[in-house]
Amino acid sequence: MPDRSEVAYFGAGPAPLPTKVLVKGAEAFVNFQNTGLSLAEISHRSQTANQILADTKAALTTLLEIPESHDILFMHGGGSAEFSAVVLNMVAVWVEKRRREAEKDLGQDSAGIIERVRKELKDYLRLDYLVTGSWSLKASQEAANLLEPLGNGFVNVAVDSRKSPSGKFDNIPAEDTWTLTPPRTQGGKISAFIYYCDNETVDGVEFPDFPKCLDPDPSDEVPVVADMSSNFLSRRVDVSKHAVIFGGAQKNIGITDVTLVIVRKDVLATQPPPSFLHAVGVWSPPTILSWPVVAKNNSLYNTMPIFSIWIAGEVMRGLLETHQDRQLAGQEEVANAKAKQIYDALDRYPEVYQIVPDRSVRSRMNICFRVNGGDAGQEKAFLEGAEAQLLQGLKGHRSVGGIRISNYNAVDVDKVRRLTTYLEGFATKSKP
């Protein structure tokens, strides 16, 4: 039976955790701080649980330099649940803005306000999605499904990377080709938000930087929503440019069953009564997905997995301890260096390894490639050889196949070195 230190795990999620965190977690799972209770047993209403929430929020705030304008929520359901939460909460914000405008014009004419907002919904509501991979595609499809009772055409796919010559998610088109909903000041529709997935886990595509065309425009701001599930805490992020950032914990943050949502406080404060949403034909967010409800209850509306939140906090505090004042700038350097080492090894043998995404959008977290043009026998041999050397979790996503190396924060430099040695050895033996 191999020792943990002998296994190099590159799975896409759940992902590896720092061994130091796991050792402390094992102790906390049995007897947390000599209380005689497991962290899985304590009440989520207890002082201990509230302190864990506060400490984890504080660590995340420091790492990401989250401004006072934003709040941090802990939720259930992973990124997939937030596909729905984003639509339901942000459409509610859109409706409330229209309701307030109508109330200014129509006073207390309730029926008139409802009729006007209902018409504006049909005529003006749009949701902009940048579809650059499998997860943003799923998010856009969920949005269309949720809004189908209102009709069709509400979801504007401003980018679909599959429209490239390859027909695959292997690039991000130039910003000047994006068909975002024209702003209201230009006589366009009214977009409730612009949504993008910062790193596509399945396809190995990552935005190199925040898109310049999404920089906030004070005269006509459209809220920006980002799914950062698979590159969370791997580089610096300007939180102030986002209305919402969310991510499942099971990549770079912790273990499953915790979803982090960073949401601007004005979003939480701009919500109509559920009865008004229903009157204009829109579903109100289910209570468990309602960001205002979760925020009001300090993420404790229902029983949260305190152990999982504590694990996330330990990971964050470990990053702070490692990089100190440099915070995420230090982790970004490490992530970039590891990714470069892997890509350099692959690029040295183009006749054996074919990297899927365009060089300009190569993910630092999920490195996707084919072996000998996708030859099934060669890819099987590659995976079997890797397993024999305890290099695990390298099989590509079932929807696309191939090989995928997930280079998350807990994958240390020595394990990357072992992997690149294997890449070079396999390529040398497999050269045509």
Side-chain angles (χ1 to χ4, degrees):
M1 180 181 295
D3 183 80
R4 177 176 175 81
S5 62
E6 297 176 292
V7 175
Y9 183 63
F10 300 93
L17 286 164
T19 299
K20 182 179 178 181
V21 172
L22 288 175
V23 171
K24 289 187 70 175
E27 295 174 359
F29 199 77
V30 176
N31 187 354
F32 180 66
Q33 295 182 350
N34 295 317
T35 60
L37 288 174
S38 165
L39 260 186
E41 296 172 324
I42 67 165
S43 168
H44 62 297
R45 308 288 183 197
S46 66
Q47 183 177 350
T48 299
N50 276 271
Q51 190 61 53
I52 287 170
L53 284 168
D55 291 346
T56 305
K57 283 184 178 183
L60 184 59
T61 298
T62 302
L63 278 169
L64 282 175
E65 298 180 352
I66 298 173
E68 283 290 326
S69 56
H70 288 64
D71 202 351
I72 299 168
L73 313 180
F74 299 101
M75 299 184 68
H76 296 285
S80 296
E82 292 308 307
F83 295 167
S84 300
V86 164
V87 175
L88 297 171
N89 284 277
M90 295 305 291
V91 168
V93 170
W94 189 97
V95 168
E96 176 62 4
K97 289 178 179 177
R98 306 287 82 73
R99 187 193 71 80
R100 292 178 184 181
E101 287 185 5
E103 190 173 67
K104 285 181 182 178
D105 295 340
L106 302 176
Q108 299 303 310
D109 181 2
S110 299
I113 292 171
I114 290 171
E115 185 57 35
R116 173 167 148 174
V117 174
R118 185 185 289 135
K119 186 177 188 307
E120 288 180 340
L121 265 170
K122 298 282 188 181
D123 294 344
Y124 297 118
L125 176 64
R126 292 294 181 274
L127 283 58
D128 287 348
Y129 280 79
L130 310 183
V131 176
T132 56
S134 301
W135 290 111
S136 51
L137 176 62
K138 287 179 182 291
S140 69
Q141 291 169 336
E142 179 72 350
N145 179 56
L146 288 171
L147 294 176
E148 188 176 4
L150 286 174
N152 299 313
F154 294 105
V155 175
N156 171 44
V157 176
V159 175
D160 186 341
S161 296
R162 295 171 299 177
K163 292 182 179 178
S164 67
S166 71
K168 298 178 181 178
F169 288 127
D170 59 6
N171 71 102
I172 298 176
E175 291 184 27
D176 60 8
T177 68
W178 299 0
T179 57
L180 295 168
T181 299
R184 198 176 185 185
T185 53
Q186 296 177 18
K189 307 292 185 182
I190 309 172
S191 183
F193 58 83
I194 301 169
Y195 180 107
Y196 74 102
C197 179
D198 204 29
N199 182 73
E200 291 282 359
T201 320
V202 172
D203 309 283
V205 170
E206 184 176 30
F207 280 86
D209 298 291
F210 183 79
K212 288 184 174 57
C213 69
L214 302 189
D215 278 332
D217 177 0
S219 66
D220 201 344
E221 188 211 4
V222 177
V224 175
V225 176
D227 175 358
M228 295 189 179
S229 292
S230 54
N231 63 355
F232 221 115
L233 303 186
S234 71
R235 66 180 179 185
R236 291 161 291 179
V237 174
D238 189 342
V239 174
S240 68
K241 293 184 176 181
H242 299 79
V244 182
I245 296 172
F246 70 85
Q250 68 274 14
K251 313 289 188 181
N252 273 330
I253 308 169
I255 58 180
T256 56
D257 200 29
V258 176
T259 309
L260 280 75
V261 182
I262 303 168
V263 57
R264 212 167 56 205
K265 291 176 181 176
D266 68 290
V267 169
L268 300 173
T270 311
Q271 296 279 334
S275 58
F276 187 84
L277 287 170
H278 303 159
V280 298
V282 176
W283 292 343
S284 57
T287 305
I288 200 66
L289 295 181
S290 171
W291 296 333
V293 169
V294 174
K296 182 180 178 181
N297 288 274
N298 189 32
S299 297
L300 294 172
Y301 175 79
N302 69 324
T303 307
M304 285 301 294
I306 298 302
F307 177 75
S308 300
I309 294 171
W310 178 84
I311 288 284
E314 285 295 305
V315 170
M316 294 172 196
R317 286 185 285 276
L319 288 172
L320 288 169
E321 181 181 340
T322 298
H323 302 295
Q324 299 185 11
D325 291 343
R326 302 203 65 221
Q327 299 169 15
L328 285 186
Q331 185 57 41
E332 185 173 357
E333 283 185 7
V334 173
N336 292 351
K338 291 190 298 170
K340 183 179 186 302
Q341 187 175 348
I342 296 168
Y343 279 120
D344 284 351
L346 294 170
D347 283 334
R348 278 195 288 273
Y349 303 96
E351 68 278 19
V352 178
Y353 303 125
Q354 294 80 44
I355 298 168
V356 175
D358 184 80
R359 184 180 292 270
S360 64
V361 295
R362 288 178 174 180
S363 170
R364 301 162 307 120
M365 294 290 103
N366 307 104
I367 297 161
C368 299
F369 62 96
R370 305 308 300 252
V371 178
N372 287 344
D375 180 273
Q378 285 293 299
E379 292 188 340
K380 181 180 179 183
F382 177 92
L383 292 170
E384 289 176 349
E387 287 279 346
Q389 296 191 26
L390 299 180
L391 303 169
Q392 299 178 358
L394 292 167
K395 189 174 183 179
H397 191 272
R398 63 187 182 278
S399 65
V400 295
I403 313 297
R404 175 174 56 179
I405 301 167
S406 292
N407 176 40
Y408 295 131
N409 289 351
V411 176
D412 63 39
V413 174
D414 287 340
K415 290 184 171 61
V416 168
R417 191 176 296 117
R418 282 176 53 192
L419 176 62
T420 54
T421 299
Y422 174 72
L423 288 169
E424 291 169 353
F426 183 88
T428 300
K429 290 187 293 185
S430 302
K431 273 187 177 180

